[in-house]
Amino acid sequence: MRLVAKPTEQEIIEGPQAVSFQIANGNARQRCILQTDLPTQALAHKYLLTNWPVIERRAREALATGVLDDGQIKLAMV
């Protein structure tokens, strides 16, 4: 059984972690940010990969409705 990485001092200071990713938008790419309440980047990335189908669907829905913040799609943890 793997041990979960403990947050570094930097991550504790920064607080909850965000993960960025891109989705295809025709011939272009759309930047997306997923804000989590997880303490480490490793856990946030694992959450993104584990829940990718739901997160991608939500990002595409936001793209279709034009919900952009500073040209990015911003999502919160599900």
Side-chain angles (χ1 to χ4, degrees):
M1 181 177 216
R2 288 181 61 177
L3 297 175
V4 177
K6 293 182 181 179
T8 64
E9 187 174 329
Q10 177 77 24
E11 290 170 328
I12 291 170
I13 292 169
E14 291 174 358
Q17 300 294 305
V19 180
S20 62
F21 62 96
Q22 296 179 348
I23 58 173
N25 181 15
N27 289 336
R29 295 264 178 199
Q30 179 61 52
R31 183 171 180 195
C32 306
I33 298 175
L34 173 66
Q35 180 65 48
T36 71
D37 60 4
L38 300 169
T40 67
Q41 277 291 316
L43 288 174
H45 189 257
K46 183 176 180 179
Y47 178 85
L48 173 69
L49 295 177
T50 302
N51 295 289
W52 176 249
V54 174
I55 294 168
E56 181 186 18
R57 185 175 339 110
R58 289 180 55 211
R60 293 200 180 280
E61 288 169 357
L63 182 62
T65 58
V67 180
L68 300 175
D69 188 3
D70 293 331
Q72 302 174 17
I73 296 172
K74 294 190 177 177
L75 303 172
M77 195 171 170
V78 292

